[in-house]
């Protein structure tokens, strides 16, 4: 019985690498890989070996016969993809694993990776496989994970499993964690460059894009970055108060983040209570009055930015009604795609939402303004203007969330392209726009390199490209070796309370223990101070022994005579 890939697919293509008959496409070197929502197994070519299922980091691959409910639809989707993309499964040019030639006379590379999210995780994994580099993984929070911890929705545990794979690299003897270290505050870009052979910046795109309409700064108008951070217990968002005492919320944008937010707002709190959702958010969601979320797309229904898989996850929410607002369906209801059988209704926004929980998808409706002057004192009114030229519609609401994409932030000392929100680069090598030259030893990976697109697994191929550039530079002798990492770590410790592997493990264990008691995967700390307080006595003892460790590290890293 052949296998099929289900929408949990993270696109990291681990399955492609292990398939003995090359029956999983698109592969990373095929053009469709850049735009595909997920990968597909050709049931006609699959030999039922199960290697793909074993390799999948998110448990998205199953024998067709075992698929039940909405997942059964994806057995058909796998087959249909091959009807639309016929392939003979011929192997493309072989790509051999790259590695840095060994040289006993050369001191190992010292590489700093800034950010501890998925792009950094894949970068570190590639570096460990391909080089003898000693790696320092730096993050400004005392916990690793980046978007895996603070971005992936709490009710998507399968996606979070990728993080379990990364926890192995944190324990690797050539990796040293330096968490609770903020580049730009505790250590500068120049200091990192002076103390390492190479630095890979993989700190993501954490700022929100603006609508630039009047009223955007109203109290109940929030950015998706805030809401996602809030329900995921990001310490920066713990003190955010989100007023959920409104029957209708409006989410602007139709991407996967917008769907995540809508799902969390409309979820049964008892279901969420089984996840690692923030306790602060859970308490607010338990008393929430929100029962309708209106998702606003500025363009036609055919441009909906969410993926079919994520929409299927929304449809699986028990008791949730999903409808399309007839207004804005310029060319009528969609005949194909995930929205094809969603009921189309007329909606009177001046009436309260009906009983029960409902998601309304409304397209062709760019936001014109957010107006605070509604007749309800606790609410904000959103004016939306239809693109069809009809009169404007006003949607009364007490909560507006703009989920219109993320953008990168500039890091002092590193070039930045303001309009694209990324660090300018060539295949991962940071480029100085003033001179057009690439900066020796400076690299980027992930969203700060390519912009905020693609799921977690997309970063695997992206990180490989950056590491290949780094390998070429190292092989050409362009990267200095002989850097003194002990001095660097001493410098960090003199400036901040550095969280190392042992403390990060202790924080992780404490969160998991708290979760066990409540039948949850973990209960996340919501404040940095709580994280830093875990295991502090041992850490203080270790700090005292730090000088000895540093001396030993120095001795061990000297080249043998
Ligand atoms: P996104 O997919 O780029 O969607 C952005 C949405 O905002 C689009 O609907 C876009 O509409 C709209 N938009 C942009 N500017 C607007 C404006 N001025 N007014 C109104 N609407 C505007 O971004 P995202 O949802 O933040 O997701 C980022 C990436 O993370 C995506 O690649 C996504 O797939 C990925 N992600 C994946 C998962 C998952 O796989 N489970 C979960 C979360 C995120 P236009 O098309 O008209 O520009």
């Amino acid at each position: 019985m052949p296998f099929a890939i289900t929408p949990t697919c993270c696109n990291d293509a681990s399955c492609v690498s292990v398939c003995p008959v090359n029956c999983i496409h698109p592969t990373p070197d095929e053009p469709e890989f850049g735009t595909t929502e997920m990968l597909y197994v050709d049931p006609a070519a699959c030999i039922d070996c199960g290697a793909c299922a074993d390799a999948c980091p998110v448990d998205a691959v199953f024998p067709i016969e075992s698929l039940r409910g909405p997942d059964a639809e994806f057995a058909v989707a796998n087959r249909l993809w091959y009807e639309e993309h016929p392939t003979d499964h011929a192997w493309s040019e072989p790509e051999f694993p790259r590695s840095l030639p060994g040289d006993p006379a050369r001191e190992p590379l010292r590489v700093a990776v800034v950010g501890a999210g998925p792009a950094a995780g894949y970068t570190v994994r590639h570096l460990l496989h391909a080089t003898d580099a000693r790696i320092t993984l730096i993050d400004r929070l005392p916990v690793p994970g980046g978007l895996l911890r603070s971005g992936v929705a709490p009710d998507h545990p399968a996606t979070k499993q990728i993080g379990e794979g990364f926890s192995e690299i944190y324990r690797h003897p050539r990796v040293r964690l330096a968490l609770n270290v903020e580049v730009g505050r505790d250590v500068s870009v120049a200091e990192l460059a002076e103390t390492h052979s190479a630095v890979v910046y993989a700190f993501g795109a954490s700022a929100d894009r603006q609508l630039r309409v009047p009223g955007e700064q109203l109290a109940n108008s929030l950015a998706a970055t805030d809401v996602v951070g809030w329900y995921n217990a990001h310490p920066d968002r713990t003190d955010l108060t989100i007023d959920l005492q409104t029957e209708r919320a409006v989410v602007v944008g139709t991407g996967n983040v917008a769907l995540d937010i809508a799902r969390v707002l409309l979820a049964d709190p008892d279901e969420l209570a089984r996840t690692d959702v923030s306790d602060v958010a859970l308490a607010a969601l338990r008393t929430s009055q929100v029962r309708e979320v209106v998702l606003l797309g500025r363009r036609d229904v055919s441009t909906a930015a969410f993926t079919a898989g994520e929409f299927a996850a929304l449809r699986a929410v028990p008791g949730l009604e999903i409808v399309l607002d007839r207004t804005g369906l310029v060319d009528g209801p969609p005949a194909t795609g995930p929205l094809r059988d969603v009921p189309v209704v007329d909606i009177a926004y001046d009436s309260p939402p009906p009983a029960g929980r409902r998601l309304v998808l409304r397209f062709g409706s760019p936001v014109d303004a957010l107006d605070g002057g509604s007749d309800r004192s606790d609410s904000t009114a959103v004016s939306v203007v239809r693109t069809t030229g009809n009169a404007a519609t006003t949607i009364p609401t007490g909560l507006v969330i703009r989920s219109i994409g993320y953008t990168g932030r500039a890091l002092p000392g590193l070039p930045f392209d303001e309009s694209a929100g990324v660090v300018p680069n060539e295949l991962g090598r940071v480029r100085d726009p003033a001179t057009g030259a690439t900066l020796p030893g400076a690299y980027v990976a992930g969203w700060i390199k390519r912009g905020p697109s693609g799921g977690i697994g997309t970063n695997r191929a992206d990180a490989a490209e950056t590491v290949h550039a780094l390998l070429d530079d190292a092989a050409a002798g362009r990267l200095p070796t002989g850097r003194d990492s002990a001095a660097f770590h001493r410098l960090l410790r003199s400036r901040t309370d550095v969280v190392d592997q042992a403390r990060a493990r202790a924080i992780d264990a404490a969160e998991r223990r708290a979760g066990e008691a409540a039948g949850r995967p973990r209960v996340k700390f919501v404040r940095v101070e709580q994280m830093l307080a875990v295991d502090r006595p041992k850490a203080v003892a270790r700090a005292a022994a730090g000088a000895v460790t540093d001396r030993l590290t120095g001795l061990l890293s000297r080249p043998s005579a």
Side-chain angles (χ1 to χ4, degrees):
M1 183 61 74
F3 281 70
I5 300 180
T6 60
T8 314
C9 176
C10 71
N11 285 24
D12 97 344
S14 299
C15 52
V16 172
S17 327
V18 298
C19 176
V21 291
N22 199 31
C23 78
I24 302 173
H25 297 267
T27 64
D29 51 0
E30 290 171 342
E32 296 91 347
F33 189 78
T35 53
T36 190
E37 290 185 359
M38 55 181 279
L39 308 183
Y40 304 89
V41 176
D42 183 353
C46 176
I47 57 166
D48 189 19
C49 69
C52 50
D54 290 344
C56 178
V58 292
D59 286 345
V61 194
F62 298 96
I64 282 176
E65 65 192 346
S66 71
L67 293 175
R68 297 280 177 274
D71 278 352
E73 210 178 291
F74 283 88
V76 181
N78 278 243
R79 178 172 53 75
L80 288 181
W81 195 83
Y82 287 92
E83 286 180 21
E84 287 164 22
H85 304 82
T87 167
D88 59 3
H89 304 297
W91 298 95
S92 50
E93 285 298 305
E95 200 180 296
F96 298 103
R98 308 258 323 264
S99 63
L100 192 62
D103 180 356
R106 176 178 56 76
E107 289 204 56
L109 294 173
R110 304 264 172 211
V111 181
V113 177
V114 179
Y122 285 116
T123 300
V124 171
R125 195 181 278 164
H126 287 305
L127 281 169
L128 288 172
H129 286 163
T131 71
D132 61 354
R134 307 312 195 240
I135 300 162
T136 301
L137 185 58
I138 299 171
D139 199 285
R140 80 183 181 89
L141 287 185
V143 283
L147 274 191
L148 277 168
R149 179 181 170 99
S150 308
V152 174
D155 57 349
H156 276 7
T159 310
K160 287 173 188 271
Q161 277 181 44
I162 301 183
E164 301 299 320
F166 290 146
S167 64
E168 285 167 21
I169 63 172
Y170 308 149
R171 290 193 293 270
H172 195 284
R174 283 193 280 126
V175 175
R176 193 160 170 179
L177 295 190
L179 306 174
N180 197 36
V181 173
E182 184 169 341
V183 177
R185 180 194 66 185
D186 302 317
V187 63
S188 69
V189 164
E191 285 168 330
L192 281 178
E194 282 158 18
T195 49
H196 292 84
S197 318
V199 185
V200 182
Y201 295 93
F203 52 81
S206 58
D208 56 289
R209 293 180 57 205
Q210 307 278 315
L211 279 168
R212 302 191 196 288
V213 297
E216 188 163 8
Q217 305 311 327
L218 285 170
N220 276 0
S221 156
L222 302 171
T225 44
D226 287 332
V227 180
V228 171
W230 173 76
Y231 64 59
N232 275 327
H234 192 293
D236 290 355
R237 302 320 199 289
T238 293
D239 293 324
L240 187 70
T241 306
I242 301 189
D243 184 354
L244 299 175
Q245 300 310 305
T246 176
E247 292 162 344
R248 176 184 291 127
V250 172
V251 179
V252 183
T254 64
N256 280 339
V257 173
L259 283 201
D260 281 347
I261 291 171
R263 221 179 43 252
V264 170
L265 288 178
L266 293 168
D268 175 352
D270 287 338
E271 290 294 324
L272 275 183
R274 286 195 258 274
T275 72
D276 64 2
V277 68
S278 150
D279 277 353
V280 173
L282 185 60
L285 288 163
R286 283 200 183 282
T287 57
S288 167
Q289 295 297 309
V290 176
R291 58 175 195 273
E292 179 175 272
V293 174
V294 180
L295 221 67
L296 281 187
R298 62 174 165 178
R299 296 188 289 145
D300 183 55
V301 63
S302 62
T303 66
F306 51 74
T307 54
E310 283 306 303
F311 191 67
L314 195 68
R315 291 193 97 165
V317 175
L320 177 64
E321 183 190 7
I322 303 180
V323 296
L324 268 165
D325 182 342
R326 194 182 312 280
T327 315
L329 293 178
V330 185
D331 299 320
T336 57
L339 295 173
R340 67 189 177 281
D341 54 356
V342 173
V344 176
V345 298
D346 295 301
I347 295 182
Y349 290 103
D350 47 6
S351 306
R357 288 169 300 144
R358 178 164 89 159
L359 177 79
V360 177
L361 296 147
R362 180 179 163 118
F363 289 87
S365 302
V367 174
D368 181 39
L370 309 188
D371 175 7
S374 102
D375 52 358
R376 279 178 43 197
S377 58
D378 65 342
S379 76
T380 308
V382 195
S383 304
V384 295
V385 180
R386 287 179 44 189
T387 48
T388 48
N390 289 354
T393 305
T394 297
I395 304 178
T397 175
L399 178 62
V400 182
I401 299 164
R402 57 177 186 280
S403 179
I404 59 171
Y406 291 43
T407 186
R409 287 180 202 274
L411 180 61
L414 210 58
F416 189 65
D417 178 340
E418 288 286 348
S419 60
V422 298
V423 171
N425 68 92
E426 279 167 26
L427 302 175
R429 291 184 182 90
V430 175
R431 185 170 47 77
D432 180 353
T435 62
T438 54
L439 301 183
Y443 304 87
V444 277
W447 278 8
I448 196 63
K449 169 188 175 187
R450 66 173 195 278
S453 67
I456 302 290
T458 314
N459 293 299
R460 184 166 175 249
D462 176 289
E465 180 185 73
T466 296
V467 170
H468 285 175
L470 190 154
L471 281 179
D472 287 341
D473 292 345
R478 289 193 283 267
L479 301 183
T481 54
R483 301 303 210 188
D484 183 357
S485 75
F488 171 69
H489 285 277
R490 266 197 307 276
L491 175 83
L492 291 186
R493 284 200 300 274
S494 72
R495 292 184 179 168
T496 184
D497 182 9
V498 182
V499 170
D500 62 7
Q501 245 115 324
R503 281 178 78 188
R505 266 212 307 275
I507 295 169
D508 180 55
E511 287 190 338
R512 286 178 196 268
R513 264 196 314 275
E516 259 169 43
R520 302 171 61 182
R522 65 174 68 234
V523 174
K524 286 178 182 169
F525 292 117
V526 292
R527 295 192 186 281
V528 165
E529 307 86 74
Q530 294 171 325
M531 300 174 189
L532 295 180
V534 174
D535 214 20
R536 194 188 286 278
K538 277 192 218 146
V540 171
R542 259 197 313 281
V548 180
T549 315
D550 286 343
R551 273 204 303 280
L552 275 175
T553 313
L555 285 172
L556 286 172
S557 61
R558 272 190 210 155
S560 46

